[in-house]
Amino acid sequence: MRFQLLGPLSIAEGHDVVVLKPSKPSSLLAALLIHPGSVVSTGYLLRALWDEDQPATARAALQSCVLRLRRIFAKYGVTRNVIEAVPGGYRMNADADTLDLVRFRALVRAADAADDAEGELYRLKEALTLWQGPLLANVPSPMLHRDEVPGLTEERLRTLERACDIELALGRCRQVLVDLWEAARRHPGRERFSEQLIEALYRTGRQSEALSEYRSVKGRLKEELGVDPGPSLQRLELSILRGDDLGPPALDPALDRTPPLPGGRTAVALAPRAEPLAIAAPARIPAPAPAPAPVPSAALAPAVRPVPPVPSFTGRTAERAAITARLTAGSPDTTVVVLSGAPGIGKTALAQQAAHDSQHSFPGGVFILAMTREDGSPVTPAEALAHLPPPGTADGATLLVLDDVTSPDQVRPLLPAGPGSAALVTSRRGLAGLMATHGGSVHRLSTLDPAESRQLLAAVLGPERVAAEPAAAGELARVCGHFPLSLRIAAARLLTRPGLRVEDCVAWLAEDLPARLSLADDPRLSVPQVFGGALRRLEPRWREAFHRLGDHEGLLLSSHALGDSPEAEEALERLADAGLLEEGPPGPYRIHQLLKIYARRQARERHNSQAATARH
């Protein structure tokens, strides 16, 4: 049993994680865990629970809160007396095995003592993987958020800065770019991240982008604070303008590997993002230099070592077991497993969970790559190969996870060789061409059933909050269409608003679906954004066909729903292949309710735009 403080406050046992509901006991637990092994004074705990608005019976209520917390521990199997009453307050002992904050600090100290840069970087990255999202998102204590969270956040940012400094010193400028895009955008007030990003851009041959980034930083500082960039940034700009050599050239990506894992395993690894309900995302391959690439809106972090479980993963029991059994069967030939389905249906989450479940069967390593860039363009096999070990160098069977594949041709040249090796591929398409040439199995994911949706909400929000409003929780799952992405977005909104009732959230969402199924602080966690990205990959005529389906009555579509012409039939097949429709001939097609609402909305907006243009 272990406590997780570096994200939503939770209790974990093995792969099972329980996110505690917002409550006074949660605030008390967080206040004790922030000071592990130390006596936490009664006055401090009273402020953590009630801030400056303490009731007259606060001390008695604190004792009651301690008893409630001990009952929660017993409920989740924490049998030891971990909360000690001592003179002046309370103490909660924890070590690196029972609290992620202690482990994080131990790893950072171990990095200080490392003999070489590789060892230091290895430990820093391992420490950063412990951060699972916004700190104490489910802890309703204004004092802790005001007085403690900034200091803990500073510890993480210093560690990330240090890891990026080492990457730059080792010449791994291309590899560190994804982290630096993310850090510079999320923390614009920290000039060091901007400086590191500009240096990495320049050293990878992207001088114009580096100067553009400098001008953007300079403009923001002048507009918001009325100051100029610091001396380090100014010196860096001058060096770029002069064309100075800032350090060693970037290493060959094929040789730029993180140290091996215990047992010889390796994995592509960079520091994770801190965001609500995030999972470790596939490694995002940058656009090839020297051609300028659009600045990504946010960076995606590669898989970490070891491959972590997906936070609050629930459901998909049969598919998960079948995929893991297939991957670990030890076939003499390369095993290929394809996960397909609609956008937002949970393919990436299931793939990572299956990779986590089966990673010990692959001593040669688990490698996870995104096969589509932020702008929707596909990654070429040659670009992907540069991020994988050369053929014949892996120490045993390997697992290759290719996320968001757009065609069979992306996959075939990358398939790992060797007995027991496997490839797990996610795609909105069925990739029938890949099955025809290499065989394998295809798992077409559908929406969660009502029980699985409820389990997901309970895992994220806490079973008590779902049990308090069971009917509203069921209605929330229905409004979200039982899509994992929609459910996680709605749960994140509720998790960060402890006082919001589930019933009120349902009513608010239903007023404007699916537009309100999005999070303001991360555009990638947005149902309209995900649906729109899937449509943008299609030709305009197929997009037009999808919009027309919004006016069709019902969710079942005959093969003549768009007319009797061969092109109308092809349009339905194209939309089904893109994951926007289900099934098809000889039976009817089916469109999901959320996708239909989105199609109708898009058609209406386009019609209004055309009408406005005609009036003018």
Side-chain angles (χ1 to χ4, degrees):
M1 188 70 64
R2 64 189 185 279
F3 297 98
Q4 296 180 173
L5 185 69
L6 303 180
L9 183 63
S10 56
I11 301 175
E13 173 66 32
H15 302 323
D16 298 324
V17 179
V18 176
V19 179
L20 300 181
K21 69 176 183 179
S23 63
K24 294 296 185 188
S26 296
S27 296
L28 173 62
L29 176 59
L32 292 168
L33 290 176
I34 288 172
H35 305 280
S38 301
V39 176
V40 184
S41 71
T42 300
Y44 177 93
L45 294 176
L46 293 176
R47 291 195 303 276
L49 294 179
W50 292 282
D51 208 1
E52 301 304 325
D53 188 23
Q54 300 173 18
T57 59
R59 290 181 179 271
L62 172 61
Q63 294 175 358
S64 175
C65 196
V66 171
L67 292 176
R68 289 172 59 194
L69 186 55
R70 285 172 173 158
R71 284 197 291 268
I72 291 173
F73 287 172
K75 178 181 178 181
Y76 294 116
V78 183
T79 55
R80 293 180 300 161
N81 185 20
V82 293
I83 303 179
E84 299 179 59
V86 296
Y90 293 87
R91 177 171 55 208
M92 189 166 178
N93 292 313
D95 55 27
D97 293 326
T98 57
L99 178 59
D100 55 2
L101 177 61
V102 175
R103 177 163 176 75
F104 170 80
R105 288 169 174 168
L107 286 168
V108 173
R109 288 194 300 271
D112 289 334
D115 295 330
D116 60 356
E118 290 283 9
E120 182 180 2
L121 182 61
Y122 184 96
R123 289 167 177 82
L124 292 176
K125 287 183 176 180
E126 187 176 357
L128 288 165
T129 65
L130 298 173
W131 293 74
Q132 296 295 317
L135 281 172
L136 309 185
N138 55 334
V139 174
S141 170
M143 187 275 273
L144 293 180
H145 284 277
R146 181 183 66 242
D147 298 344
E148 299 291 357
V149 167
L152 293 172
T153 302
E154 177 65 22
E155 288 188 55
R156 177 187 178 270
L157 295 180
R158 283 203 309 265
T159 303
L160 179 56
E161 282 183 1
R162 184 172 155 195
C164 292
D165 277 334
I166 296 173
E167 295 264 36
L168 290 172
L170 292 173
R172 297 173 184 171
C173 300
R174 286 188 176 88
Q175 286 75 2
V176 80
L177 272 173
V178 288
D179 281 313
L180 291 175
W181 282 122
E182 172 79 6
R185 295 301 181 264
R186 283 188 175 274
H187 307 284
R190 295 182 77 96
E191 287 190 31
R192 181 56 187 152
F193 284 137
S194 296
E195 184 180 348
Q196 290 171 323
L197 173 59
I198 294 167
E199 179 182 342
L201 287 169
Y202 176 63
R203 287 172 58 183
T204 51
R206 296 156 72 171
Q207 181 180 18
S208 60
E209 288 180 70
L211 290 172
S212 176
E213 183 69 18
Y214 175 83
R215 287 193 293 270
S216 175
V217 173
K218 182 178 181 179
R220 185 183 67 247
L221 291 174
K222 180 65 71 175
E223 179 180 347
E224 296 179 3
L225 303 175
V227 298
D228 291 321
S232 294
L233 268 174
Q234 293 185 35
R235 286 193 297 269
L236 179 58
E237 181 206 22
L238 183 59
S239 296
I240 294 172
L241 292 172
R242 289 194 308 232
D244 293 346
D245 183 1
L246 297 183
L251 299 180
D252 183 345
L255 302 177
D256 188 9
R257 298 279 168 221
T258 54
L261 303 180
R265 293 181 294 121
T266 56
V268 182
L270 289 179
R273 293 174 296 155
E275 64 181 28
L277 304 169
I279 65 170
R284 196 56 81 165
I285 298 176
V295 176
S297 59
L300 289 181
V304 295
R305 52 174 191 270
V307 180
V310 177
S312 307
F313 188 89
T314 57
R316 309 288 192 202
T317 304
E319 295 100 327
R320 180 177 169 185
I323 293 166
T324 302
R326 181 86 180 183
L327 293 175
T328 59
S331 171
D333 300 318
T334 300
T335 299
V336 179
V337 178
V338 173
L339 304 183
S340 66
I345 206 69
K347 301 181 293 294
T348 300
L350 179 56
Q352 184 187 319
Q353 189 64 41
H356 166 79
D357 294 342
S358 57
Q359 61 185 316
H360 298 297
S361 296
F362 298 97
V366 179
F367 299 89
I368 305 181
L369 294 177
M371 297 304 290
T372 306
R373 296 191 185 88
E374 295 282 3
D375 62 359
S377 61
V379 171
T380 67
E383 292 169 326
L385 282 170
H387 291 258
L388 297 174
T393 60
D395 185 17
T398 60
L399 173 60
L400 177 61
V401 182
L402 301 177
D403 188 57
D404 203 11
V405 164
T406 61
S407 73
D409 289 336
Q410 278 186 299
V411 178
R412 293 187 182 108
L414 306 180
L415 292 177
S421 292
L424 180 55
V425 180
T426 76
S427 178
R428 292 167 190 168
R429 300 180 171 181
L431 300 183
L434 180 64
M435 294 295 100
T437 56
H438 286 77
S441 61
V442 178
H443 297 263
R444 183 85 176 186
L445 300 187
S446 61
T447 55
L448 301 176
D449 63 36
E452 290 175 325
S453 296
R454 182 184 175 89
Q455 290 171 9
L456 178 56
L457 290 173
V460 177
L461 293 176
E464 294 86 356
R465 195 168 181 184
V466 172
E469 298 182 76
E475 182 64 11
L476 177 62
R478 188 195 66 78
V479 166
C480 289
H482 301 286
F483 266 65
L485 175 65
S486 304
L487 289 165
R488 285 183 175 270
I489 290 171
R493 179 174 293 279
L494 285 164
L495 191 62
T496 54
R497 292 167 173 80
L500 179 64
R501 295 192 308 163
V502 177
E503 181 181 4
D504 294 335
C505 181
V506 172
W508 181 79
L509 289 174
E511 289 176 0
D512 191 7
L513 283 172
R516 287 182 174 174
L517 284 169
S518 60
L519 298 179
D521 61 351
D522 193 334
R524 289 163 298 169
L525 290 174
S526 163
V527 169
Q529 189 87 348
V530 171
F531 287 174
L535 278 175
R536 284 191 293 272
R537 296 187 190 181
L538 301 178
E539 295 180 29
R541 54 178 173 161
W542 310 136
R543 292 200 294 268
E544 164 70 21
F546 175 78
H547 293 153
R548 287 165 55 195
L549 292 177
D551 295 326
H552 194 281
E553 290 296 328
L555 301 179
L556 293 179
L557 311 169
S558 73
S559 57
H560 305 294
L562 293 174
D564 295 322
S565 67
E567 181 170 301
E569 293 183 16
E570 183 183 2
L572 291 171
E573 273 297 285
R574 295 277 186 169
L575 294 175
D577 188 52
L580 299 171
L581 298 178
E582 292 295 330
E583 302 305 329
Y589 294 93
R590 184 181 184 280
I591 184 171
H592 189 277
Q593 181 68 35
L594 270 185
L595 282 163
K596 183 177 180 181
I597 294 172
Y598 179 77
R600 185 184 301 132
R601 183 187 184 95
Q602 291 294 300
R604 184 171 64 248
E605 289 179 356
R606 188 183 55 174
H607 174 75
N608 293 340
S609 176
Q610 291 173 345
T613 302
R615 287 195 300 270
H616 292 83

